[in-house]
């Protein structure tokens, strides 16, 4: 047990220094989008806000989803880095349990374990609220994104999505807005 605590504290220190959101305790089990339909979810989404992560350093973030095969969603995440270059990563997502289609697991690298990508709320045409959490012994690491089909989202919609996150213990004050300014993000246009 003591070795597990040392490993957990070491991992916590490393990831906390990388701007990850680490918290004491186990991951919550929030409700997800009822009757999630991946075919309606495909297409481009703009990142409006996120909990900071070590693997996202840029602005103008987009996620483009496509149907690769039955039950498998293709994922293409893109962002504009400070040096003006575009960073992109491709992967795939699928539901671990077909009876819970909104609880996706996303993989970007062949030999790495998949990460949770749970769609807590979406109307398919305007907003999507995504949450992921992984347990590490005594601690958990949380991820969350507010996405929109357009580069902006109304303040009312953001507040509604924040209330969902707050209800499961996410500190929404730690969420960072993503710059989606049209002129600044023009380098992202394909």
């Amino acid at each position: 047990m003591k070795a597990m605590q040392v490993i957990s504290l070491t991992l916590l220190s490393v990831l906390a220094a990388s701007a990850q959101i680490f918290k004491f305790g186990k991951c919550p089990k929030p409700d997800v989008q009822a009757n999630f339909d991946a075919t309606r979810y495909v297409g481009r989404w703009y990142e409006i806000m996120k909990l900071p992560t070590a693997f996202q350093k840029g602005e103008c973030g987009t996620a483009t989803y496509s149907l690769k095969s039955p039950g498998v969603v293709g994922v293409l995440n893109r962002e504009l880095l400070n040096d003006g270059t575009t960073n992109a990563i491709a992967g795939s997502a699928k539901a671990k349990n077909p009876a819970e289609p909104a609880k996706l697991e996303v993989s970007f690298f062949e030999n790495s374990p998949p990460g949770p990508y749970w769609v807590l709320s979406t109307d398919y045409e305007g907003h999507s609220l995504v949450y992921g959490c992984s347990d590490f012994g005594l601690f958990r690491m949380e991820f969350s994104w507010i996405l929109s089909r357009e580069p902006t989202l109304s303040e009312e919609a953001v507040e509604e999505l924040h209330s969902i996150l707050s209800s499961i213990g996410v500190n929404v004050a730690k969420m960072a807005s993503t710059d989606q300014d049209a002129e600044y993000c023009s380098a992202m246009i394909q």
Side-chain angles (χ1 to χ4, degrees):
M1 179 68 174
K2 189 165 183 123
M4 179 61 144
Q5 289 173 331
V6 170
I7 291 169
S8 293
L9 289 173
T10 302
L11 183 60
L12 172 65
S13 298
V14 169
L15 291 173
S18 300
Q20 298 296 139
I21 301 300
F22 249 84
K23 294 174 89 173
F24 185 74
K26 297 283 186 190
C27 290
K29 304 295 182 208
D31 291 334
V32 294
Q33 177 72 37
N35 303 312
F36 179 72
D37 182 354
T39 60
R40 294 180 61 202
Y41 198 72
V42 298
R44 179 175 292 172
W45 291 92
Y46 294 87
E47 180 183 279
I48 303 301
M49 298 187 88
K50 67 177 174 274
L51 287 175
T53 67
F55 54 85
Q56 284 183 285
K57 301 286 188 197
E59 298 294 341
C60 311
T62 62
T64 304
Y65 304 111
S66 59
L67 292 179
K68 289 179 77 169
S69 62
V72 179
V73 176
V75 178
L76 175 61
N77 291 341
R78 298 177 70 233
E79 65 182 344
L80 182 63
L81 300 177
N82 287 338
D83 65 5
T85 62
T86 300
N87 183 38
I89 187 167
S92 62
K94 64 180 179 177
K96 184 176 182 177
N97 177 354
E100 296 179 302
K103 291 184 177 181
L104 299 162
E105 292 186 335
V106 65
S107 299
F108 290 103
F109 304 104
E110 193 170 318
N111 295 321
S112 66
Y117 181 104
W118 291 11
V119 180
L120 301 186
S121 174
T122 187
D123 62 2
Y124 302 101
E125 296 172 9
H127 78 271
S128 178
L129 176 60
V130 177
Y131 177 75
C133 188
S134 297
D135 288 316
F136 293 97
L138 300 174
F139 301 94
R140 69 182 185 264
M141 182 170 49
E142 293 183 310
F143 303 94
S144 188
W145 294 269
I146 293 176
L147 307 174
S148 174
R149 290 290 191 184
E150 300 295 328
T152 61
L153 190 61
S154 74
E155 191 173 312
E156 295 81 16
V158 170
E159 287 175 11
E160 182 180 326
L161 299 174
H162 277 178
S163 75
I164 293 170
L165 291 172
S166 295
S167 75
I168 61 169
V170 174
N171 182 352
V172 297
K174 293 192 180 266
M175 294 193 85
S177 295
T178 302
D179 188 346
Q180 292 288 356
D181 178 75
E183 185 176 334
Y184 179 74
C185 298
S186 63
M188 291 278 292
I189 298 172
Q190 294 185 7

